[in-house]
């Protein structure tokens, strides 16, 4: 199995207080011990303001309108396991600190995927996922669970096992019941089914569940997830469904069928891994709206905007501006649809982005540099959120 590593035990950080959050980040470590000394009046006033509420804070979550969730993927597992750094979520203190301040929604980038959470048939590795859910609670963040039925990142014992149809069905049932049940009440949205259709809107052959058990298994997965956590909103999630096209049409038809059969499907989410090689999907809002009109919640779940990097690796000002424009338009599309209340970017710093690993020669896809400098794309999100605050 590729990534069945011994789990590292994540350490716990103290809860991030709003007082601490008002301190410039680079100074945090130095300021903590000195905090006992009496602060000058002006500084005290700032701290008190920060403690009272959100005023004086300058982050994405503070800019978001009430009831709107701005999220990030939590880096760990997957491609990170092959990089020359320790597990970011467990060990990068600055990363954790910023994630707490900037976002009010978190998605497990890999930590809830089968190969990670269910590495052998009889063992569930809950440590990394538990750590995310606990951290989210400590920082008043909601969690998106990702994912339960997918063709990728499945453990070898499953993909290469020799199971009867009944056994396979029971394996999925047990997995969903166990994982969803464990976090019941603590996961806002679950990506129950991920990437089940190909570009032509046909079921993907690589999906072991659908191939072996038939497409009816998708409805069962939603039913089992709903039984295990009746409060979680259950989603279809995919890439390449930002626009109205054959793939999104396939979801549109399937969801109508499932709803007619009383299957608990609650949401549809275009992942939105965008590239400046292609034009912005201008019908994103209209596409989200047609799903909303079916009575569904909608969400953007994995936004990033990659680009071809010039020699030297630094994006030009024009590239940065174009990227900011894509981020802004994606957020505007979501904000323009009443049922779109969750908007997640697939990582917030280039330090940990999956893009250079999966798309050679492309990069700079997130809203902060490797040194956590805010790019124009960050400000585009922040300004857009602020512009609708109180109006939505
Ligand atoms: C990616 C992760 O970011 C990587 O760390 C991992 O190596 C591969 O998967 N669509 C999805 C996500 O639904 O789960 C994928 O995440 C990106 C594409």
């Amino acid at each position: 199995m590729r990534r069945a590593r011994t789990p590292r035990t994540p350490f716990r950080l103290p809860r991030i207080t709003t007082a601490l959050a008002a301190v410039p980040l680079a100074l945090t470590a130095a300021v903590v011990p000195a905090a006992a000394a009496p602060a000058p009046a002006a500084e005290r006033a700032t701290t008190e303001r920060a403690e009272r509420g959100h005023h004086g804070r300058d982050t994405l979550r503070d800019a978001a309108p009430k009831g709107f969730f701005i999220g990030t993927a939590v880096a760990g597992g997957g491609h990170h396991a092959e990089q020359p750094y320790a597990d970011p979520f467990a060990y990068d203190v600055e990363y954790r600190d910023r994630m707490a301040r900037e976002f009010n929604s978190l998605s497990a980038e890999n930590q809830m995927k089968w190969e990670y959470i269910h590495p052998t048939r009889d063992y569930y590795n809950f440590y990394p996922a538990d750590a995310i859910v606990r951290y989210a609670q400590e920082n008043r963040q909601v969690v998106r669970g990702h994912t339960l039925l997918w063709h990728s990142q499945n453990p070898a014992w499953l993909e290469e096992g020799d199971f009867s149809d009944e056994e396979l069905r029971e394996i999925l049932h047990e997995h969903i019941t166990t994982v969803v049940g464990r976090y019941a009440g603590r996961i806002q949205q679950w990506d129950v089914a991920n990437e089940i259709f190909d570009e032509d809107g046909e079921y993907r052959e690589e999906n072991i569940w659908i191939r072996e058990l038939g497409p009816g298994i998708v409805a069962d997965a939603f039913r089992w997830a709903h039984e295990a956590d009746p409060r979680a909103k259950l989603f279809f999630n995919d890439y390449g469904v930002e626009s109205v096209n054959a793939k999104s049409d396939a979801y549109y038809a399937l969801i109508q069928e499932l709803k007619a059969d009383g299957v608990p499907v609650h949401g549809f989410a275009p992942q939105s891994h965008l590239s400046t090689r292609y034009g912005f999907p201008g019908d994103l809002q209209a596409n989200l709206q047609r799903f909303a009109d079916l009575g569904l919640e909608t969400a953007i779940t994995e936004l990033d905007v990659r680009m071809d990097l010039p020699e030297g690796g630094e994006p030009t000002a024009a590239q940065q501006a174009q990227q900011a424009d894509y981020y802004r338009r994606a957020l505007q599309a979501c904000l323009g649809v009443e049922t779109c209340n969750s908007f997640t970017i697939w990582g917030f710093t280039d330090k940990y982005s999956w893009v250079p690993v999966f798309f050679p020669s492309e990069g700079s896809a997130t809203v902060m540099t490797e040194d956590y400098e805010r790019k124009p794309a960050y400000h585009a999100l922040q300004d857009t959120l602020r512009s609708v605050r109180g109006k939505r």
Side-chain angles (χ1 to χ4, degrees), residues 3 77-80 109-110 113 146 150 153 194-195 237 271 273 302 346 354 358:
R3 296 195 179 95
H79 79 278
H80 303 286
E109 184 177 4
N110 294 289
K113 291 173 180 173
H146 176 78
W150 194 24
Q153 292 186 267
N194 198 32
E195 304 177 353
N237 192 55
Q271 295 173 4
H273 292 289
E302 305 184 11
W346 207 237
W354 75 307
F358 282 80

Side-chain angles (χ1 to χ4, degrees), residues 165-226:
D165 288 359
E166 292 72 52
E167 282 170 330
L168 211 49
R169 205 179 138 75
E170 189 41 38
I171 286 169
L172 183 63
H173 182 209
E174 189 226 68
H175 177 93
I176 290 179
T177 305
T178 306
V179 175
V180 177
R182 182 174 184 90
Y183 302 114
R186 293 182 291 168
I187 300 273
Q188 186 192 40
Q189 303 182 342
W190 262 109
D191 292 330
V192 173
N194 198 32
E195 304 177 353
I196 60 170
F197 290 120
D198 66 18
E199 303 326 282
D200 301 323
E202 305 291 339
Y203 285 105
R204 272 178 187 269
E205 262 298 297
E206 312 98 285
N207 187 305
I208 181 175
W209 310 109
I210 295 172
R211 184 182 65 237
E212 302 298 327
L213 303 173
I217 194 65
V218 175
D220 288 328
F222 278 87
R223 290 192 188 99
W224 295 331
H226 187 61

Side-chain angles (χ1 to χ4, degrees), residues 304-330:
D304 49 20
V305 183
R306 58 187 191 273
M307 59 180 80
D308 290 287
L309 291 174
E311 198 106 347
E314 281 298 308
T316 64
Q319 283 183 304
Q320 301 233 32
Q322 191 186 9
Q323 179 184 53
D325 187 53
Y326 278 42
Y327 270 95
R328 178 184 300 107
R329 290 168 74 182

Side-chain angles (χ1 to χ4, degrees), residues 29 54 67 221 347 356 360 364-365:
H54 291 314
S364 193

Side-chain angles (χ1 to χ4, degrees), residues 81-324:
E82 271 112 59
Q83 302 303 305
Y85 49 70
D87 184 81
F89 177 64
Y91 291 105
D92 187 336
V93 178
E94 181 173 7
Y95 175 79
R96 292 172 62 98
D97 190 3
R98 288 195 180 262
M99 196 157 60
R101 294 159 193 243
E102 293 284 354
F103 301 97
N104 58 6
S105 176
L106 300 181
S107 300
E109 184 177 4
N110 294 289
Q111 301 89 335
M112 295 184 183
K113 291 173 180 173
W114 272 76
E115 71 170 1
Y116 218 77
I117 206 166
H118 200 164
T120 64
R121 188 171 177 182
D122 302 318
Y123 174 62
Y124 287 89
N125 172 20
F126 287 122
Y127 290 99
D130 282 1
I132 292 173
V133 172
R134 192 174 56 231
Y135 169 98
Q137 278 186 313
E138 286 167 355
N139 294 298
R140 302 178 319 284
Q141 295 162 313
V142 298
V143 179
R144 297 195 80 262
H146 176 78
T147 178
L148 301 169
L149 183 149
W150 194 24
H151 65 275
S152 184
Q153 292 186 267
N154 286 329
W157 70 264
L158 171 66
E159 289 285 345
E160 289 157 27
D162 185 20
F163 302 111
S164 69
D165 288 359
E166 292 72 52
E167 282 170 330
L168 211 49
R169 205 179 138 75
E170 189 41 38
I171 286 169
L172 183 63
H173 182 209
E174 189 226 68
H175 177 93
I176 290 179
T177 305
T178 306
V179 175
V180 177
R182 182 174 184 90
Y183 302 114
R186 293 182 291 168
I187 300 273
Q188 186 192 40
Q189 303 182 342
W190 262 109
D191 292 330
V192 173
N194 198 32
E195 304 177 353
I196 60 170
F197 290 120
D198 66 18
E199 303 326 282
D200 301 323
E202 305 291 339
Y203 285 105
R204 272 178 187 269
E205 262 298 297
E206 312 98 285
N207 187 305
I208 181 175
W209 310 109
I210 295 172
R211 184 182 65 237
E212 302 298 327
L213 303 173
I217 194 65
V218 175
D220 288 328
F222 278 87
R223 290 192 188 99
W224 295 331
H226 187 61
E227 271 166 33
D229 184 0
R231 280 176 287 176
K233 300 296 181 192
L234 307 182
F235 273 69
F236 281 100
N237 192 55
D238 209 329
Y239 66 87
V241 292
E242 293 71 35
S243 289
V244 176
N245 56 30
K247 199 176 188 178
S248 62
D249 282 351
Y251 282 103
Y252 191 68
L254 173 62
I255 289 170
Q256 288 180 76
E257 271 175 44
L258 293 175
K259 286 188 82 81
D261 291 345
V263 179
V265 178
H266 310 119
F268 173 76
Q271 295 173 4
S272 309
H273 292 289
L274 305 181
S275 165
T276 58
R277 276 187 195 177
Y278 316 108
F280 182 83
D283 59 350
L284 176 57
Q285 182 172 331
N287 190 37
L288 292 172
Q289 189 61 54
R290 72 169 171 155
F291 285 92
D293 291 343
L294 295 180
L296 292 181
E297 296 198 11
T298 52
I300 301 296
T301 47
E302 305 184 11
L303 178 66
D304 49 20
V305 183
R306 58 187 191 273
M307 59 180 80
D308 290 287
L309 291 174
E311 198 106 347
E314 281 298 308
T316 64
Q319 283 183 304
Q320 301 233 32
Q322 191 186 9
Q323 179 184 53

